[in-house]
Amino acid sequence: MKKTAFLPRGLLTAFLLLYAFFALVPAAIYRVGQIERNENKKTESTVGEKNEASSSHTESTASIPGFLEGQQLAIATNETEFTLYDTATGEDIHVPERDFIKAAVACEMDLSAPEEALKAQALASYTYYCRQRQDGQQIACDTENWLVYVPQESMEARWGEDFAQYNALLDEVVDAVSGQVITWQGAPILAAYFAISPGATESAENVWSPDANIEHPYLQAVASPGDMLSDGYRSTVEFTTEEFLEKITAHGLQEPEGAPETWLTNVEYSPSGMVKTAQLGEETVTGTELREMFGLRSASFHCQAEESGFRFEVLGWGHGVGMSQVGAAFLAKQGADYQEILEHYYPGTQITER
């Protein structure tokens, strides 16, 4: 497919630099989150639905150190398949690399996304799972729910008469990045990705651990303004007071005392607009813990105590670290190719031929 440039490269770069100045200021992100604060709108984007899986499997790396930084690239040339554990069947399956990456892209992104964004996703997925394979980690999938991998017959059943068209597109996408891997200092990177940012991605240190920026220096906060145009950018979650307390105690925390409006206080935001820490009663909790506790799409939220209970207004979808898939699609629509997309979301990395 021929790439159409909608925006001159220089203007695109200038736009991102200017936006970064504002996007990475907490107050600016906070104001964006308050524009439609009274709006009770629960929208679901197709891209978001297909990509919440990426938030789940990538967040599981929260305790994974940077095993390979500083080492030489050592992916064996005879590794031509991935061994997966299928949670749907409880069995191991062996999948050729090409088939695996095609399925991974189909599981992670809507195939109506621009081709350059699909290429970026393909290479990010390949790099992510190459790193897991190289370190001997088990790669889990769920073939029933289209998580990480599905066999071709599942694609044929879902896509019907459109299968040939989608399969040809996946072939083209995978061929374009075949033999490449994203590296930092010669090693495959932890190519984290997620669905939608609150307007800027998050630094790994603010989500996983204080030293994550040292282990993964390429997982920095970068501007991602196109995310704010997505249908799934804003969501609202409400709880009664009783439900709110049930969520807290289910996670082993004590019930807060006093008036409900004093239960969640001292909220600290990162420059990207994510909640870093907050005071929940007598406990100090992280934004990630609160997101998991209340089932929020992201840790970029504002919580308001109301007469009927509590209301969370949430921006974005996913952990926020690495490549935003909606942001990648936005950049591709402006004329960026997959190399430029990956360079933007994983600054300082290289695309290396194996």
Side-chain angles (χ1 to χ4, degrees):
M1 294 183 181
K2 184 179 180 180
K3 178 180 71 178
T4 302
F6 291 89
L7 194 67
R9 191 63 43 77
L11 291 180
L12 174 61
T13 302
F15 172 68
L16 289 172
L17 290 173
L18 287 173
Y19 180 81
F21 177 79
F22 297 100
L24 300 182
V25 176
I29 290 291
Y30 181 79
R31 284 196 295 273
V32 170
Q34 302 306 307
I35 291 176
E36 299 177 10
R37 184 173 164 187
N38 296 320
E39 179 180 284
N40 185 17
K41 183 178 179 181
K42 298 181 180 180
T43 55
E44 302 266 336
S45 73
T46 302
V47 173
E49 288 174 349
K50 295 179 72 63
N51 289 295
E52 183 58 8
S54 67
S55 298
S56 300
H57 80 69
T58 307
E59 281 183 77
S60 68
T61 63
S63 60
I64 297 177
F67 306 107
L68 305 175
E69 267 70 346
Q71 301 180 18
Q72 292 300 310
L73 186 62
I75 300 177
T77 56
N78 62 350
E79 288 186 311
T80 58
E81 67 178 20
F82 285 92
T83 299
L84 314 173
Y85 174 72
D86 187 1
T87 59
T89 64
E91 299 177 350
D92 285 339
I93 53 179
H94 303 278
V95 184
E97 281 192 340
R98 180 184 178 80
D99 294 343
F100 174 72
I101 298 305
K102 286 175 61 177
V105 174
C107 288
E108 292 293 349
M109 291 190 80
D110 191 308
L111 297 186
S112 65
E115 189 170 337
E116 293 302 311
L118 295 174
K119 292 176 186 177
Q121 179 62 58
L123 191 47
S125 293
Y126 180 69
T127 300
Y128 181 86
Y129 291 109
C130 271
R131 180 176 175 127
Q132 283 200 344
R133 180 178 63 184
Q134 184 166 302
D135 289 313
Q137 299 179 49
Q138 184 183 69
I139 301 174
C141 68
D142 183 345
T143 54
E144 286 187 3
N145 294 299
W146 283 58
L147 297 179
V148 181
Y149 170 79
V150 289
Q152 180 172 309
E153 53 265 30
S154 295
M155 299 182 200
E156 293 174 346
R158 173 173 289 190
W159 296 334
E161 61 183 17
D162 293 325
F163 171 76
Q165 174 187 350
Y166 287 143
N167 190 55
L169 172 61
L170 289 171
D171 281 333
E172 186 173 347
V173 166
V174 173
D175 286 343
V177 301
S178 179
Q180 300 176 353
V181 66
I182 312 168
T183 64
W184 170 265
Q185 295 183 350
I189 70 167
L190 179 59
Y193 48 86
F194 62 98
I196 308 171
S197 83
T201 68
E202 186 57 275
S203 297
E205 62 188 289
N206 291 330
V207 176
W208 296 338
S209 65
D211 59 354
N213 63 321
I214 298 174
E215 298 171 343
H216 313 294
Y218 46 83
L219 294 178
Q220 305 172 12
V222 301
S224 192
D227 299 56
M228 295 188 293
L229 304 176
S230 167
D231 288 339
Y233 172 69
R234 188 183 305 276
S235 59
T236 302
V237 181
E238 296 179 339
F239 298 98
T240 64
T241 302
E242 292 74 20
E243 290 171 338
F244 190 88
L245 290 173
E246 288 174 0
K247 295 290 185 182
I248 294 173
T249 56
H251 280 73
L253 301 180
Q254 294 184 343
E255 291 188 5
E257 298 180 353
E261 57 267 24
T262 67
W263 290 356
L264 187 62
T265 59
N266 299 326
V267 180
E268 179 188 1
Y269 289 89
S270 75
S272 296
M274 296 282 191
V275 174
K276 291 182 66 176
T277 61
Q279 196 74 17
L280 184 59
E282 298 298 319
E283 306 275 356
T284 298
V285 292
T286 67
T288 298
E289 290 171 332
L290 288 169
R291 180 197 172 199
E292 295 173 351
M293 191 180 304
F294 294 103
L296 309 177
R297 287 186 179 179
S298 85
S300 179
F301 62 83
H302 172 76
C303 181
Q304 179 68 39
E306 300 178 340
E307 185 176 347
S308 59
F310 292 82
R311 176 187 178 93
F312 286 90
E313 294 185 7
V314 187
L315 302 180
W317 197 335
H319 50 69
V321 179
M323 184 180 75
S324 162
Q325 292 160 316
V326 163
F330 174 79
L331 291 181
K333 290 177 181 178
Q334 310 313 308
D337 60 29
Y338 76 93
Q339 295 100 327
E340 292 167 322
I341 292 170
L342 295 171
E343 288 168 3
H344 176 70
Y345 285 109
Y346 307 115
T349 63
Q350 294 181 322
I351 295 176
T352 303
E353 296 288 338
R354 292 194 295 132

